[in-house]
């Protein structure tokens, strides 16, 4: 999959590669049993993960984005224990989606303005032949007969 932003190819890779490299980690959703559980659950998430960003908090459901690099077994044990001690009803963990990757790449390149593609005549060896065998227009007009368009620049993986 390739993602273009601001007129340039910004990232290229398999879905898993893009999620791992540009996805930002994991999404944690916690459903609290009561309104008073928000603070203790937030403190638990801060303790278990690095790079915690609270995405939303609606009617007892807390959503966080966390960085990679945590002990999965320790996290599951802590969440299972929190069900009885902190009023946690359910929890889900998922890798960020491809949509999240697209949005991050677009946001990172939002302020960059695209450069117009340069169109030039192709060298004779590269020219496409017209079906009628004629020559390109003598006035230098660009036609669909022999064009070379500069490829989009690639910014990295």
């Amino acid at each position: 999959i390739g993602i273009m932003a601001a007129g340039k190819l910004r990232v290229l890779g398999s879905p898993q590669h893009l999620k791992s490299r540009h996805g930002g980690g994991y999404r944690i959703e916690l459903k609290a049993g009561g309104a008073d559980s928000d603070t203790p659950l937030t403190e638990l998430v801060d303790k278990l993960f690095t790079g915690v960003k609270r995405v939303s908090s609606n009617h007892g459901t807390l959503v966080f984005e966390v960085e990679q690099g945590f002990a999965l077994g320790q996290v599951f044990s802590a969440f299972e224990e929190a069900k009885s001690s902190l009023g946690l009803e359910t929890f889900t963990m998922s890798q960020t989606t491809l949509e999240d990757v697209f949005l991050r790449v677009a946001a990172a390149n939002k302020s960059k303005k695209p450069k117009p593609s340069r169109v030039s005549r192709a060298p004779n060896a590269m020219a496409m032949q017209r079906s009628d065998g004629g020559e390109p227009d003598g006035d230098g007009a660009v036609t669909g007969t022999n064009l070379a368009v500069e490829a989009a620049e690639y910014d990295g993986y």
Side-chain angles (χ1 to χ4, degrees), residues 29-32 83 88-92:
E29 294 184 31
L30 306 175
K31 174 70 174 150
K83 285 183 175 181
L88 177 64
E89 287 183 8
T90 61
F91 65 91
T92 60

Side-chain angles (χ1 to χ4, degrees), residues 3-67:
I3 302 174
M4 291 186 71
K8 293 182 181 180
L9 183 61
R10 300 295 177 173
V11 295
L12 180 66
S14 68
Q16 185 59 47
H17 171 77
L18 295 177
K19 288 180 192 180
S20 297
R21 177 108 187 228
H22 303 284
Y26 291 84
R27 180 183 226 58
I28 310 295
E29 294 184 31
L30 306 175
K31 174 70 174 150
D36 57 336
S37 299
D38 284 11
T39 302
L41 289 175
T42 299
E43 290 172 356
L44 177 64
V45 170
D46 287 336
K47 179 180 143 189
L48 293 172
F49 302 98
T50 59
V52 176
K53 177 183 171 190
R54 188 175 188 164
V55 177
S56 68
S57 175
N58 294 321
H59 305 290
T61 300
L62 304 169
V63 180
F64 301 92
E65 286 183 355
V66 299
E67 292 179 357

Side-chain angles (χ1 to χ4, degrees), residues 48 69-76:
L48 293 172
F70 52 86
L72 191 59
Q74 180 183 357
V75 169
F76 277 102

